[in-house]
Amino acid sequence: MEKGSLLRQPSISRRSLLLNGTAIAGVGALIGLFGCSNTGVESGGAVADNKATGSVTNGVKADGSYQLDKTFPVLADSDAFDDSLITNAMDTFIGFEKQGSLLVNATDPSKFKIFVNGTTVALDDIEKDDWALIDISSITVNGNNRLQVSGIDAGKDTIAVRIPYPELVDATDEYRNNDNFKLLDEIIQAEIDNGFTSAQLVVARNGRIIKQSAYGQCNSYSKDGKRLNDGAKVTNDTLYDLASNTKMYCTNYAVQKLASEGKLKVTELVSAYIPEFKDQPNDAIKGKDVLTVQEILQHQAGFPADPQYHNIDYNPATKKTEAGSRANQALYTQKRDEALKKIIETPLEYMPGTSTKYSDVDYMLLGFIVEKITGQRLDEYVGDSFYKPLGLKHVTFNPLDNGFTKDDCAATELNGNTRDGVISFENIRTDTIQGEVHDEKAFYTMEGISGHAGLFSNARDLAVLTQIIINRGGYGDHRFFDGDTLDQFIKPKDTNASYGLGWRRKATSLYSWAFSPISDTSTVGHTGWTGTLTVIDPVENVSVVLLTNTKNSPVLDKEANPNDFVGNHYLTGNYGMPATISFDDEGANADCNDAKLIDLIRAKYQLIDTNVAYQTNPDIAELKALMSIADQRKDSELISAFKKTEVWESADNLAGK
């Protein structure tokens, strides 16, 4: 039932609820909680008329979609009327300090008073019956802001108020000397100097970008594993292959928008959107007939993790490629127009809803559901619905087909999809992948456009997309989905709190390894196999976008583990370190960060010393990188003292081998 709908039922009014013993706060208490501020008022004195002093621009357009769009007064015969009375004049909106505006259109502005956070918004300069833009940046606060619109002598007069969503503003200059970010720069650069690949980073807090940096080269190694030093540099415009972050900022956003518009119900059967999706006669495990969209979003649909539709020699039983076996012939295709049929024919591994198993197939299927509902190919729909309206120029599928060159993109695997020569299948790429999606199913089967992978972006444009979550569904004058829909998607799954609907969640600690232990438990985001991370804390209003290309490095031991790349052995490529330092941007000083560095060196040395899995050349190179930063910070008393310890001496001997 819609929120508040009980109050509009003739048989169950708020008054009857009160008479039946339901206790609520009195009107006086509500005014005390939500009403005008008494800033500047002495005890027993008159309320000061603190007016906002922002500029007013008359004759503006107001034809977007907004976080608040309301006409006052709310009349008693309106469905929106609430017989608590005071509530009709009050509302909230998301805002941040030093930014924000109201769009106002009044038949007679003199008949109304507007207050934001208890401070009067001056209406003297707005013209009648036309939209005016009022700057309220001097009175906004971070998070929820209070709006009051009172009709002083309204009569038949009305005033319409529209409030845009916040937009990111550049505040990087203010944080240029932040020691936390200095330490992060030092670590990432030292890692690159000692074998890591490249990175892009954007950190936003309270609607402001406080860190934006690029590190390294677009392609770090030659095909034979030799370090390159003269290639194109990564800039803030460089595109990265987002891998599974595609699931969120393409497919999930599309599904959330369609759900908000009532065009898709997550509780509906998949067959309602794809009628041919049903159990096959020979299926050993049934469940497709009753599979819902929600179960796909929760990764409990029954599909295998990776059926490798692109690889005819993949054996589903052994989960290995067996040259010449043609063991995967039943599901094999390298044609996008055959992919949905192959998904429908894919045998389930368990009954839907009985287990949780992360699967790319889930999001390939969701992408097709979006296409069925919208009548557009997935990339076209999200481009028209999100990226173009937001003016994002660095978000795209298939970059080389859309105006970008290889040097505009960070490279991924050095020898195609061969894992340095140990994997082979029909049409496999063998050259360094750059400007093409790395994921095999996305590239070979889905023509680069899939619900599970294929999206490229730079960190800045991706930060805009993460801000939509913090803004509760919109950005600027674009509303994409409502707050109730957002809540439905980011709330924890009953059986595993690290999953929402598509979103990965920090929960108490389940995803702390990537999202940081100091982010809020409600934090959401995702990771991508190529080395990408997005973290969104909707309580602290913080987002971190870290894009790396860890797979643009040699395979460490292709016979022992063809998926273990050198780039995976560095802290930046493991996510938790850069996420945690980014979240700790406020309050941490040089002493605090010197202590962090000591902790990192000590822990890395002990890990290498006691765990054979970390006794590798790149892990030792990581230790060397951290120790080089200590040398840069040698004037610190903490660092100077640490360099006299046995741990430092042992670590120095190990790093010097």
Side-chain angles (χ1 to χ4, degrees):
M1 182 174 290
E2 183 181 351
K3 184 180 179 182
S5 60
L6 273 176
L7 305 179
R8 297 196 294 273
Q9 304 298 320
S11 59
I12 309 177
S13 68
R14 187 186 306 275
R15 180 167 296 171
S16 67
L17 290 173
L18 286 168
L19 293 174
N20 285 330
T22 302
I24 62 171
V27 171
L30 285 168
I31 294 174
L33 181 61
F34 296 111
C36 302
S37 166
N38 65 351
T39 303
V41 181
E42 295 180 2
S43 178
V47 176
D49 191 16
N50 298 323
K51 290 189 176 181
T53 57
S55 61
V56 174
T57 306
N58 288 293
V60 300
K61 291 183 178 180
D63 52 3
S65 51
Y66 303 93
Q67 61 168 311
L68 186 144
D69 188 345
K70 201 168 183 178
T71 298
F72 300 88
V74 180
L75 301 178
D77 59 355
S78 166
D79 284 345
F81 186 78
D82 180 356
D83 62 7
S84 287
L85 305 184
I86 189 65
T87 56
N88 296 297
M90 308 291 297
D91 220 316
T92 63
F93 63 94
I94 298 292
F96 301 110
E97 289 180 359
K98 300 180 182 180
Q99 56 176 297
S101 59
L102 302 179
L103 286 160
V104 174
N105 189 331
T107 55
D108 186 346
S110 67
K111 302 295 180 65
F112 296 91
K113 295 275 280 186
I114 294 180
F115 304 88
V116 170
N117 299 321
T119 299
T120 304
V121 176
L123 303 178
D124 307 23
D125 296 330
I126 74 169
E127 298 174 357
K128 295 181 179 181
D129 296 315
D130 201 1
W131 285 103
L133 183 71
I134 305 175
D135 178 10
I136 58 170
S137 60
S138 63
I139 55 175
T140 48
V141 298
N142 294 325
N144 282 328
N145 288 254
R146 304 188 314 277
L147 173 72
Q148 176 184 333
V149 182
S150 297
I152 304 305
D153 185 21
K156 294 184 178 181
D157 287 298
T158 61
I159 185 168
V161 178
R162 295 175 178 173
I163 304 180
Y165 293 91
E167 299 184 22
L168 290 174
V169 297
D170 188 345
T172 52
D173 281 346
E174 298 177 35
Y175 285 77
R176 202 162 299 282
N177 294 320
N178 180 286
D179 195 70
N180 254 43
F181 291 142
K182 283 184 178 180
L183 176 62
L184 191 50
D185 286 340
E186 290 165 356
I187 293 175
I188 297 175
Q189 188 56 56
E191 288 181 330
I192 289 172
D193 292 342
N194 285 275
F196 187 61
T197 51
S198 74
Q200 240 182 32
L201 176 69
V202 169
V203 182
R205 180 184 289 275
N206 292 324
R208 306 196 309 158
I209 292 177
I210 59 177
K211 176 65 173 173
Q212 179 174 259
S213 295
Y215 314 82
Q217 295 186 170
C218 294
N219 185 23
S220 299
Y221 289 88
S222 64
K223 292 181 63 178
D224 60 3
K226 293 180 180 177
R227 188 70 175 183
L228 299 175
N229 297 306
D230 56 356
K233 302 292 184 184
V234 173
T235 72
N236 289 327
D237 291 332
T238 300
L239 303 186
Y240 280 76
D241 179 346
L242 299 185
S244 284
N245 268 293
T246 301
K247 294 179 171 77
M248 297 301 99
Y249 305 102
C250 168
T251 313
N252 242 59
Y253 271 19
V255 171
Q256 288 173 210
K257 179 174 170 59
L258 293 170
S260 182
E261 294 169 345
K263 298 175 182 177
L264 177 149
K265 292 182 179 179
V266 298
T267 55
E268 187 61 89
L269 297 176
V270 174
S271 59
Y273 306 108
I274 303 176
E276 62 269 34
F277 187 87
K278 53 190 176 183
D279 290 317
Q280 304 298 297
N282 296 325
D283 283 347
I285 299 175
K286 307 291 186 183
K288 293 172 187 170
D289 288 350
V290 295
L291 184 65
T292 66
V293 174
Q294 179 167 311
E295 287 171 320
I296 304 174
L297 287 161
Q298 292 177 324
H299 289 292
Q300 56 184 47
F303 287 113
D306 180 16
Q308 297 204 16
Y309 300 114
H310 60 282
N311 184 357
I312 199 169
D313 289 333
Y314 175 74
N315 188 329
T318 63
K319 301 189 184 307
K320 294 181 179 179
T321 296
E322 298 172 359
S325 68
R326 304 184 73 82
N328 205 30
Q329 186 164 3
L331 297 181
Y332 169 73
T333 183
Q334 291 194 2
K335 296 180 180 179
R336 194 177 196 273
D337 59 6
E338 295 177 353
L340 179 57
K341 179 176 181 291
K342 298 299 182 180
I343 291 172
I344 295 171
E345 293 172 353
T346 301
L348 300 181
E349 290 190 344
Y350 59 91
M351 182 67 184
T354 63
S355 184
T356 298
K357 187 171 187 176
Y358 185 90
S359 172
D360 285 342
V361 183
D362 296 335
Y363 270 76
M364 295 176 74
L365 182 55
L366 284 169
F368 281 120
I369 291 173
V370 171
E371 293 185 352
K372 291 286 187 179
I373 293 172
T374 65
Q376 288 182 279
R377 199 173 63 186
L378 182 61
D379 60 324
E380 295 169 349
Y381 175 71
V382 292
D384 291 344
S385 299
F386 290 91
Y387 312 147
K388 290 177 184 177
L390 290 170
L392 303 181
K393 306 295 185 185
H394 294 83
V395 182
T396 185
F397 288 86
N398 291 329
L400 302 184
D401 295 336
N402 289 286
F404 295 94
T405 67
K406 286 188 175 183
D407 281 348
D408 294 326
C409 307
T412 52
E413 195 172 344
L414 302 178
N415 292 282
N417 294 112
T418 70
R419 304 301 192 271
D420 287 356
V422 298
I423 301 293
S424 181
F425 53 81
E426 187 175 348
N427 297 321
I428 194 169
R429 293 170 290 183
T430 58
D431 290 330
T432 298
I433 299 173
Q434 192 168 8
E436 296 175 342
V437 60
H438 176 274
D439 183 272
E440 292 90 343
K441 294 184 296 297
F443 181 78
Y444 299 101
T445 299
M446 297 294 291
E447 298 177 5
I449 302 162
S450 184
H452 78 290
L455 193 64
F456 285 70
S457 181
N458 68 343
R460 173 62 185 256
D461 280 6
L462 196 53
V464 170
L465 293 172
T466 64
Q467 188 65 30
I468 292 172
I469 301 299
I470 293 173
N471 289 350
R472 294 191 56 74
Y475 190 92
D477 59 356
H478 299 286
R479 182 180 184 180
F480 300 108
F481 38 83
D482 59 59
D484 290 341
T485 298
L486 175 62
D487 289 341
Q488 180 184 20
F489 275 75
I490 65 175
K491 71 180 181 181
K493 180 171 132 173
D494 290 341
T495 57
N496 187 331
S498 72
Y499 284 92
L501 293 186
W503 294 96
R504 298 313 306 265
R505 304 181 72 261
K506 177 195 169 185
T508 302
S509 61
L510 291 172
Y511 235 63
S512 293
W513 66 270
F515 292 175
S516 169
I518 62 174
S519 65
D520 189 78
T521 57
S522 63
T523 296
V524 298
H526 217 278
T527 59
W529 195 77
T530 50
T532 64
L533 172 74
T534 55
V535 188
I536 308 167
D537 184 335
V539 173
E540 297 296 330
N541 304 317
V542 175
S543 70
V544 177
V545 177
L546 173 71
L547 305 182
T548 79
N549 56 341
T550 54
K551 305 305 185 284
N552 182 231
S553 59
V555 176
L556 189 61
D557 184 340
K558 61 186 179 182
E559 302 299 336
N561 183 356
N563 290 316
D564 184 14
F565 290 80
V566 164
N568 294 122
H569 289 253
Y570 294 83
L571 291 173
T572 298
N574 289 326
Y575 307 137
M577 179 278 295
T580 299
I581 292 179
S582 295
F583 269 94
D584 197 32
D585 66 278
E586 293 189 342
N589 56 32
D591 280 349
C592 178
N593 289 322
D594 291 341
K596 284 190 185 85
L597 180 60
I598 292 170
D599 288 337
L600 287 170
I601 295 170
R602 186 190 304 275
K604 187 66 181 182
Y605 168 71
Q606 291 174 344
L607 193 61
I608 296 172
D609 187 49
T610 60
N611 192 324
V612 66
Y614 292 87
Q615 293 168 6
T616 71
N617 288 334
D619 283 288
I620 294 171
E622 168 71 40
L623 176 63
K624 182 178 179 181
L626 295 172
M627 296 181 73
S628 72
I629 303 166
D631 288 336
Q632 296 173 34
R633 292 178 171 240
K634 60 188 177 185
D635 293 337
S636 158
E637 291 184 10
L638 286 174
I639 297 291
S640 179
F642 176 60
K643 293 181 73 171
K644 298 175 183 178
T645 65
E646 291 183 8
V647 171
W648 174 270
E649 183 179 355
S650 298
D652 193 35
N653 289 334
L654 178 61
K657 287 183 179 179

